[in-house]
Amino acid sequence: MATTSSTPTPFSVDAERLGELGAVFRGALVTPTDPGYDDLRRLDNAAIDRRPALIIRCTGPADVVDGVNLARTTGAPLAIRSGGHHVGGHGSVDDGIVLDLRDMKGVWVDPANLTVRVQGGATWGQVDRETQAFGLAVPGGIVSTTGVGGLTLGGGVGWLVRKWGLSCDSLLSARIVLASGEVVTASATEHADLFWAIRGGGGNFGVAVDLTFRAHPLGPEIAAAFVLHPLAGSEGVLRGWRDLAVDAPDEVTSRAMLWTMADDDTAPPPARGRDVLIIGAVYAGDASRGREALAPYRALGEPLVDMSDMLGDYRFLQYALDGDDTPVHSYWKSLYLDRLDDEALSFVYARALERPDPRILVHLPAMGGACGRVGAADTAFGDRSAPFMLSVDGMTEDAARLPEVRAWVRATVEAARGLDGAGGTYLNFVGDDASDRQVVDQQYGANLGRLREVKRTYDPDNLFRINNNILPA
Ligand SMILES: Cc1cc2nc3c(=O)[nH]c(=O)nc-3n(C[C@H](O)[C@H](O)[C@H](O)COP(=O)(O)OP(=O)(O)OC[C@H]3O[C@@H](n4cnc5c(N)ncnc54)[C@H](O)[C@@H]3O)c2cc1C
């Protein structure tokens, strides 16, 4: 019954059909001849240039239902776009329909019940704006412009991961538009199989028109450490950070980032244009206790600049790593590390010194804590026992250099797979534009069979396949 191997039907709309559809949808319908089409189809990754036949700027669940029905009945390839951050470009599709959720960005905080309902097209910056007004936070990522939809359904690793787990661990329920056009609520008590699957299974099962999260008391004042060291000679600092990170309490989530700062006024003067090792850490709790807990992260070596005191506000921290508007061509890959021994650190450090483009970020987020205590079968996300991730975020401003960057990222991650305790991959960081069946299947591991059953129940014909695709059983 599944149409997974069938050739997609290119979709097109003539003026007459567009007029008919225009009477149905509340949101704008945008085709390649419309002004604004190029802006709307643009994804975060400048290397991906997709030309959908129709972009539907959904204003609410009704537009999503009709958009899903349109794709299903016409056989058009269908992509769901929220923040547009997927590095492999899963937020768009050539010659098909894009349901653009960006106008669905409502956020409603219920401070009495510590919950927040978020529409499926909101970004984390929009969520933080509303939740912080009540001194609350939902674990998101580390930049403000990433979509809540894609990040949460694929897991979600951010500054609060050790205290409150992945973003999907704070999800209480979601309203999902299924491939049939039906709208259902998925929670622990309704469609529990679907609720299990969307916590890590990505956009495979339908469109999340809204997501309700548990919100946690945090901020606006927080304690953070953000210290920039010269990359040259910083291997000892890296080891010092690792020693702190392995013994950290759940309140402290930290990361090491090996990078090159921009040579302009977006970087603090001593670090402009310099190769750096950034040690970042956040304390998810009382700010004054946090300043004490984070002091050792600020005392590692002689830094170029210590920006910790500037980042004592949760929202400001969430913006601190946002890029500028320069188009960047990206290719990312990652793996998990069960241990970060000296050999692994030396490998990471040596590779960082050899990056073929200054934009490439070599990133070691600490995980573990609450995240690591959730069982592999409890959510579709699967095994999250590794205390560290290595993410090699290949980026360049020069399109011509992308093949070299891509090859370097692949070689680095391939070599890292030989490290003791290396394994798995974070599917939200997969940069390949077509999902790699083997990588996806392997990552879901023992959960794959159950995921395929749930896929068959809710999307038997694989309408939602522009993602890290799970085939229906
Ligand atoms: C600059 C940058 C920073 C990042 N930082 C982090 C980070 O700190 N932590 C982290 O965990 N990840 C991070 N990511 C990765 C991120 O989680 C993934 O790229 C994720 O897919 C982005 O979601 P999106 O909604 O922005 O993407 P989109 O490209 O819009 O969508 C990605 C996928 O999610 C599906 N999807 C999106 N919204 C919905 C919805 N409402 N319902 C159903 N399916 C949906 C789409 O179908 C598509 O398959 C980052 C990526 C970038 C480029």
Side-chain angles (χ1 to χ4, degrees):
M1 146 177 257
T3 56
T4 48
S5 57
S6 63
T7 314
T9 319
F11 174 76
S12 62
V13 266
D14 59 23
E16 192 188 345
R17 181 79 177 112
L18 205 57
E20 289 164 8
L21 292 172
V24 172
F25 285 89
R26 197 150 66 97
L29 306 178
V30 182
T31 63
T33 52
D34 286 317
Y37 170 78
D38 283 328
D39 272 347
L40 275 179
R41 73 185 180 86
R42 189 170 302 127
L43 297 171
D44 183 74
N45 183 357
I48 305 219
D49 185 26
R50 299 255 155 83
R51 299 191 65 84
L54 178 65
I55 301 173
I56 302 175
R57 300 188 61 178
C58 300
T59 56
D63 280 355
V64 175
V65 169
D66 282 322
V68 165
N69 288 340
L70 182 64
R72 191 188 63 251
T73 52
T74 57
L78 174 67
I80 314 303
R81 184 211 165 104
S82 170
H85 266 202
H86 189 271
V87 185
H90 288 166
S92 189
V93 63
D94 281 325
D95 303 320
I97 297 173
V98 171
L99 297 187
D100 183 338
L101 306 182
R102 278 174 289 179
D103 291 335
M104 294 171 57
K105 57 186 179 195
V107 179
W108 296 271
V109 182
D110 179 347
N113 288 307
L114 296 180
T115 61
V116 52
R117 185 158 68 88
V118 179
Q119 277 190 303
T123 61
W124 284 106
Q126 290 158 351
V127 172
D128 293 339
R129 166 81 178 134
E130 299 299 334
T131 51
Q132 281 293 281
F134 299 94
L136 297 172
V138 176
I142 62 167
V143 305
S144 72
T145 49
T146 311
V148 173
L151 182 139
T152 302
L153 301 177
V157 179
W159 284 118
L160 308 177
V161 71
R162 288 176 48 80
K163 177 67 177 169
W164 290 303
L166 299 172
S167 303
C168 70
D169 296 333
S170 288
L171 190 65
L172 297 173
S173 68
R175 272 199 309 163
I176 307 283
V177 176
L178 302 176
S180 61
E182 193 189 345
V183 188
V184 300
T185 298
S187 70
T189 53
E190 292 170 87
H191 297 282
D193 53 348
L194 181 59
F195 185 55
W196 174 83
I198 59 171
R199 286 174 293 156
N204 268 286
F205 307 95
V207 185
V209 287
D210 54 50
L211 305 101
T212 300
F213 292 94
R214 165 72 56 225
H216 310 275
L218 184 74
E221 190 192 1
I222 52 150
F226 207 81
V227 189
L228 280 54
H229 297 267
L231 185 60
S234 67
E235 199 176 337
V237 175
L238 202 52
R239 288 183 187 180
W241 161 73
R242 181 269 323 271
D243 294 344
L244 292 171
V246 290
D247 284 333
D250 285 1
E251 280 72 19
V252 178
T253 296
S254 66
R255 62 194 66 241
M257 292 169 276
L258 297 86
W259 205 27
T260 304
M261 299 301 288
D263 194 7
D264 59 29
D265 62 8
T266 60
R272 281 184 193 160
R274 300 276 305 262
D275 290 343
V276 291
L277 163 64
I278 305 171
I279 301 296
V282 172
Y283 188 85
D286 174 75
S288 54
R289 206 169 308 149
R291 278 188 281 275
E292 245 171 75
L294 298 185
Y297 292 80
R298 303 176 65 178
L300 297 165
E302 273 300 313
L304 278 173
V305 54
D306 181 349
M307 298 169 70
S308 307
D309 293 332
M310 292 168 57
L311 296 172
D313 172 286
Y314 182 70
R315 281 184 65 215
F316 191 60
L317 171 84
Q318 290 291 82
Y319 284 98
L321 290 166
D322 287 2
D324 55 24
D325 291 336
T326 313
V328 175
H329 305 259
S330 307
Y331 181 80
W332 297 11
K333 257 177 136 49
S334 70
L335 51 69
Y336 297 114
L337 292 165
D338 283 341
R339 63 194 69 87
L340 199 45
D341 56 23
D342 288 353
E343 186 202 345
L345 278 182
S346 296
F347 167 83
V348 170
Y349 177 70
R351 291 299 288 186
L353 289 176
E354 293 164 3
R355 292 167 305 139
D357 192 284
R359 276 279 193 171
I360 297 173
L361 170 67
V362 176
H363 185 183
L364 286 165
M367 297 178 64
C371 169
R373 289 194 291 272
V374 177
D378 292 351
T379 64
F381 188 87
D383 181 22
R384 68 277 264 298
S385 56
F388 293 99
M389 190 200 298
L390 167 63
S391 181
V392 186
D393 304 350
M395 295 180 271
T396 177
E397 290 175 23
D398 179 358
R401 208 187 274 177
L402 185 62
E404 186 192 352
V405 169
R406 192 186 283 126
W408 185 85
V409 170
R410 285 186 174 140
T412 302
V413 172
E414 210 36 60
R417 293 207 177 281
L419 295 170
D420 203 18
T425 193
Y426 179 33
L427 291 174
N428 265 351
F429 287 170
V430 170
D432 294 294
D433 53 3
S435 79
D436 182 330
R437 166 88 30 236
Q438 228 184 343
V439 170
V440 174
D441 287 1
Q442 262 172 17
Q443 184 50 35
Y444 286 121
N447 286 343
L448 182 65
R450 188 173 168 195
L451 274 166
R452 294 190 59 192
E453 295 290 339
V454 181
K455 179 78 172 176
R456 181 174 60 187
T457 305
Y458 293 98
D459 184 18
D461 294 327
N462 204 9
L463 180 67
F464 300 107
R465 60 180 175 271
I466 313 291
N467 43 42
N468 290 313
N469 195 225
I470 295 160
L471 290 181

